[in-house]
Every structure is written in structure tokens, then in C-alpha cells.
Amino acid sequence: MKWLRRLTRRHPVGLSTRLLGLTLVFVMVSEVLIYVPSIASFQQSSLAERLHTAGVAAMALVMTDEAGVPDALKPALLAELDAFALAVKQEEMRRLLAMVEMPTPVARDLDLDMMTPMVAIREAFDTLLFGGERTIRLTGPFSEGGGGRLELVFSEAGLRGELLVYSRNILILSLAISAFTALLVYYSLRRMFVRPMQRIGQALERFSEAPEDPARIIQPSGGAGEIAETEERILAMQRQLQDTLKQQRRLADLGLAVAKINHDLRNLLASAQLVSDRLTHIADPTVQRFAPKLIAALDRAIGYCQSVLAYGKAQEPAPQRRLVALRRLVEEVAAVAGVEGRPEIEWVCDVPEGLEADADPDQLFRALVNLVRNAVEALEGSDGRVLVRRLTLSARRSGAVIAMRIADTGPGLPPLARENLFRPFQGAAKRGGTGLGLAIAAEIVRAHGGSLTLVDDGPGTTFDIELPDRPIPIGGHPPHRHREAG
Ligand SMILES: Nc1ncnc2c1ncn2[C@@H]1O[C@H](COP(=O)(O)OP(=O)(O)OP(=O)(O)O)[C@@H](O)[C@H]1O
Ligand SMILES: [Mg+2]
């Protein structure tokens, strides 16, 4: 059997070949089920025919016996019947009509009137399997003689021969039928099932060799049914995959571009920083007021470029959490996001003096700048002199969580931005927008273990930030003890 396993491993048996084999076996099994009752009925009718012929002969003997039958005739008659003895039983009288010497005594008794289907099956297999030179006594009605019973004694050999010929014919016929059926099943399954499966397999292989090539997308064969449905599903999946691949490629290109820009921008910022350092030496009070802010902004920009380059991708590094004076941070945010110097926008900074957050100051700063800048852009975009343009940033502490809210009275989030909320590059619904701001803000807040959510209580747009403190290690000291009621 080892060689068979090795062979099938090297040449896996195809689906169609296995189906061919299975069909052959199934048809043979059903043929056997048909064969069992049919061989029984064949034996029964053969016995009935023997008895009928014997009945005609017995009739002749009974009639002529009365006139005196020449004894020489009887053995010839029995030879014609292929029997050893013939007797009738009428009105409790048994008459032996003819008899020759038997080679063996009677070994089996068969009664045609007792042949229920089960008995017939058993007797047929008895003849077939154990039959040979036994002698049978067959009893049945003597209808030709107008009533009574007829007995015929004969050798089993002839009957068994008939059954064997019948069985051989049935076997040949079943083989022919099962081969024919199996071929039909094989070809129809091949056409309906195996070929389409092979076609799908080839199409998938072709596609996987070059998934970007639109010419390699599967061509559905049309029609109805499971195969056609599968093809349609594969088609949809391949299209989606190609879209995703295209998008990924664009993102990869963009990533490279960002890395290059970032790299050179850092160098430019560094030289700007050198120049602004020298500004601090100028005694002019205006310069003295703005120079530190300029230097701080440049520092922050360089730090960010540096961290992106160091990380090698546009993913945020883990936050470096410290205690942050939230009010001062928010004021800086307002300055950088362009709220200051815009009299048309009413800026409400509702952050208590002394409120402290446990966060990475640069990251939190960037998250807030993105949210506040979006609000400013939305407020600027809404025209009309009588409009209220208010931007409120409030913050409170409740327990170990800082809750912040950035609310504006602008036109509200457009549907595109709403559907693609926090998804990079997808939610930009205004000209010049890249659709990164909200995604960056959400990522930063999440990295702090907090959440950024859109509050649907229009008009305008409201975002809520929840920023939990670092978890306190059990038995350790809390990061800070300053707590304010929320
Ligand atoms: N406060 C807001 N009011 C109205 N629309 C807003 C507001 N905030 C965001 N949006 C909408 O959501 C979109 C996505 O904002 P997001 O900050 O992610 O990207 P962007 O502002 O378009 O580009 P950038 O990456 O430069 O920030 C914006 O294009 C804008 O249409
Ligand atoms: Mg934005």
C-alpha cells in the first residue's frame, strides 16, 4: 500500500477520477440490492415451470395408467423431465407414477406453497452457495390434474446451473450499466463542476501573479447558480483588492515624499532657529516680546520633524507624559492656530488657572492645534456679518480624568468628514485639506489611553476629549497630588 500512497501523493487523484470511482461503487451496490430479490424470483419461477411441465406429464401418466402404460416409457419420460421420480397425492392417496434409481437420497424439501419472499431468497442462496449433487423433492399444487399435490424429485445440479448463468448475466449487465452511468456522471460533473473550478483556480493564480493588473481580474462565465455567484464574489473581492493596492501605493509614495520634506524642513528650521537665536540679542522691546515665542515654535517644529524621522514612519511615538499647565498650553494653542488677531472670532478659554494634565505636552499641543485650527477654518468659511462666530475650549478635571471640549458655532461637520471621521486622508471636505488633522488628534489622544469623540448636539461642531491620568501603580505614589473638583 506504501507505493499507492506515494503514487497518489506525487499525482494527486483529481476530483473527477474520485467521482468516477465513487459512482462505479454506488451503482454496483444498488445492483446488488436489486440482484438479491431477483435471483430468488428467478429460482421460484424456474421451479414453478418444472412443476408445470411435470404436471402435464403426470396427467398423461394418470390417464394412460388406467389403460396400462408400457413401463419402458416411464424412464424416458423422467429423463425428459430431468427428474428421478414423479408422484401425485389425491384424496389422501399417494401414487408413485414413475421412478428411476436415485444417486443420493432426498436432501432438500421445497414446497412451492410455502415460498414467502424471505424463504425464496434463502433457498436461492442455498442452491447457489451450497448446491451441487443434492437431490431435491419439490411439492406443489397439481392443478393440471384438477386438484391434489404433485411431487417431483430431481437433481440440484441443473437448477444450480441455471442460477449461475442468470447471475453471470446479471453481473455483466450491472458492470455495463455502472460503467455507463459512471461515465455519464463523470462527464456531466466535469462539465458542470470540475472545469469551472479549474477555471476559477487558474484565474486566481493568474491574478495572484500580478494583482495590480486589471486585465487579470476574473471574467465571470455568466449564468446562474453557485459557481457563477462565487465568480461574482471573487470579482468584487479582486476589484476591492486592486483599489486597496492602489491606495496603499499612493500612501507609500506619499510616505516617501513626507520623509524627504520632513528631512529638508528640519534643516531649514534649524537655520531659522540660528537666526532667531540672534534676535534675542536685539534690545527692541517688541522683538524681545516675540523672539522667545518664535524660538519656542521653531523648537517644537524641529522636535516634531526629528521624532518623525527617528521613528521612520508617520506613527506617533509613545507619549512622554509629564504634568502640564493646561491653561498656558491652551493659550499657546490659540496663538499658533490663529485665533489671536482675528476680532471676528469670539474666543472663550474656559480652562481654570492651575488645572494640570498628565500628558505629553508636545503631542497634546498638536492634537489641540489641529482641532482648534479646524474650528477656526470652519468659522472663517461661514460668511455673513450677523453670524455668531464663537470658539470655546473648556477643560475640567473629574477624578483622574481631564475632560475637554472644543465647540464652535460654525456650519457643522460635512457628511464626507462625518462618514470618514478620524480616517487619514479620507475625510478632507474642504479645499486644500489633507484630511490628516482629526486622524492625528485621535491617534494622540488614544495613545494617552483617552478618547476623542464627536458630540452630535449641533449647531456647529463639538469635540470631546477625555484624558485619563497615568494609572497609579499599586503601592506606588501617584504622579501628582494636585486635584481640582470637576
Ligand atoms: N470644526 C469643524 N467644523 C466644520 N467642519 C470641520 C470641522 N473640523 C473638521 N471639519 C471637516 O472635517 C474635515 C477633516 O478635517 P481634518 O482636520 O482631518 O482635515 P483637514 O482639515 O481637511 O486637513 P488637515 O490635515 O490640514 O487638517 C475637514 O476637511 C472639514 O471639512
Ligand atoms: Mg484640519
Side-chain angles (χ1 to χ4, degrees):
M1 277 335 235
K2 251 188 199 159
W3 63 269
L4 186 69
R5 235 174 288 144
R6 216 175 306 140
L7 190 81
T8 45
R9 208 178 307 140
R10 225 177 291 153
H11 306 281
V13 181
L15 194 58
S16 12
T17 317
R18 261 180 286 166
L19 285 173
L20 185 70
L22 269 184
T23 321
L24 264 170
V25 170
F26 289 160
V27 175
M28 285 307 281
V29 168
S30 53
E31 292 287 346
V32 166
L33 293 181
I34 296 171
Y35 168 76
V36 171
S38 82
I39 186 85
S41 116
F42 177 79
Q43 169 167 286
Q44 209 173 352
S45 52
S46 162
L47 292 176
E49 204 179 299
R50 265 168 201 263
L51 209 63
H52 173 66
T53 319
V56 176
M59 190 61 203
L61 283 179
V62 168
M63 304 271 284
T64 46
D65 201 14
E66 279 135 27
V69 185
D71 274 348
L73 203 69
K74 292 182 180 173
L77 198 71
L78 283 178
E80 202 55 38
L81 288 175
D82 189 22
F84 303 132
L86 179 62
V88 292
K89 201 174 168 192
Q90 276 174 321
E91 292 157 6
E92 296 306 309
M93 280 262 298
R94 190 166 175 278
R95 282 174 62 196
L96 186 61
L97 296 178
M99 183 172 169
V100 293
E101 202 185 326
M102 294 178 210
T104 52
V106 171
R108 281 178 82 189
D109 251 316
L110 296 178
D111 188 339
L112 266 191
D113 288 340
M114 302 288 184
M115 286 276 179
T116 60
M118 281 319 287
V119 174
I121 289 175
R122 201 186 57 217
E123 293 299 344
F125 279 94
D126 192 1
T127 314
L128 262 181
L129 302 179
F130 310 111
E133 297 307 317
R134 289 184 295 188
T135 303
I136 299 178
R137 176 169 44 221
L138 175 66
T139 321
F142 184 27
S143 42
E144 294 78 9
R149 315 258 323 140
L150 189 66
E151 275 181 26
L152 185 69
V153 180
F154 59 93
S155 163
E156 200 177 33
L159 181 66
R160 183 161 184 264
E162 284 172 30
L163 291 196
L164 283 176
V165 169
Y166 178 81
S167 303
R168 190 197 61 205
N169 290 350
I170 288 269
L171 181 71
I172 292 173
L173 191 69
S174 352
L175 278 178
I177 290 179
S178 59
F180 182 65
T181 321
L183 276 180
L184 278 185
V185 170
Y186 173 78
Y187 273 108
S188 44
L189 281 178
R190 232 183 121 69
R191 266 187 74 86
M192 280 168 6
F193 194 66
V194 178
R195 288 254 181 80
M197 288 297 282
Q198 284 171 342
R199 219 177 37 235
I200 290 179
Q202 284 159 2
L204 285 179
E205 198 181 323
R206 246 163 44 87
F207 181 79
S208 67
E209 280 162 7
E212 310 87 4
D213 184 358
R216 289 180 182 238
I217 281 190
I218 194 170
Q219 309 272 333
S221 50
E226 288 85 348
I227 299 252
E229 258 171 46
T230 308
E231 285 176 336
E232 288 297 335
R233 274 196 213 123
I234 292 177
L235 176 72
M237 194 190 71
Q238 289 183 339
R239 285 214 179 111
Q240 202 182 346
L241 199 64
Q242 284 200 335
D243 282 352
T244 315
L245 278 177
K246 254 186 237 159
Q247 212 172 347
Q248 297 285 347
R249 174 136 318 151
R250 271 208 301 270
L251 283 181
D253 291 347
L254 197 67
L256 187 63
V258 167
K260 285 182 190 160
I261 293 171
N262 198 40
H263 178 262
D264 292 354
L265 195 63
R266 187 198 50 186
N267 297 347
L268 291 175
L269 287 170
S271 51
Q273 198 183 31
L274 277 182
V275 177
S276 48
D277 268 346
R278 290 171 61 187
L279 285 181
T280 50
H281 302 306
I282 299 175
D284 186 323
T286 321
V287 175
Q288 283 302 321
R289 222 179 86 218
F290 287 118
K293 285 189 180 173
L294 184 61
I295 289 173
L298 285 171
D299 266 350
R300 197 164 262 139
I302 290 172
Y304 178 47
C305 289
Q306 196 73 45
S307 68
V308 170
L309 275 181
Y311 212 69
K313 43 187 167 177
Q315 213 177 36
E316 299 298 334
Q320 305 290 315
R321 300 177 84 149
R322 272 169 287 165
L323 283 189
V324 179
L326 210 49
R327 178 154 182 128
R328 279 228 296 288
L329 186 90
V330 169
E331 277 165 1
E332 267 182 65
V333 166
V336 169
V339 185
E340 281 179 358
R342 273 201 180 75
E344 75 274 15
I345 294 178
E346 182 189 342
W347 163 241
V348 182
C349 176
D350 181 15
V351 181
E353 195 71 57
L355 180 57
E356 293 173 3
D358 177 30
D360 180 319
D362 288 332
Q363 289 191 355
L364 183 58
F365 176 86
R366 281 174 44 228
L368 292 178
V369 164
N370 271 306
L371 292 169
V372 171
R373 186 177 282 148
N374 277 350
V376 170
E377 284 165 355
L379 291 173
E380 271 180 340
S382 51
D383 43 21
R385 285 161 169 278
V386 292
L387 286 181
V388 175
R389 294 194 177 93
R390 186 168 42 238
L391 167 52
T392 314
L393 200 161
S394 49
R396 292 286 182 278
R397 171 175 284 284
S398 75
V401 177
I402 295 277
M404 280 189 257
R405 169 165 285 199
I406 298 103
D408 65 62
T409 56
L413 216 60
L416 180 71
R418 194 176 280 272
E419 281 153 24
N420 295 292
L421 199 62
F422 308 135
R423 276 199 213 131
F425 301 113
Q426 311 211 341
K430 64 182 172 230
R431 283 181 58 194
T434 50
L436 267 177
L438 286 179
I440 290 174
E443 196 184 337
I444 288 175
V445 175
R446 239 180 280 129
H448 280 77
S451 63
L452 172 64
T453 40
L454 174 69
V455 184
D456 252 328
D457 62 355
T461 308
T462 305
F463 281 103
D464 268 356
I465 297 179
E466 288 208 341
L467 206 65
D469 290 343
R470 257 170 299 181
I472 305 165
I474 294 171
H477 295 286
H480 62 93
R481 300 202 161 274
H482 185 99
R483 290 277 140 91
E484 246 181 55

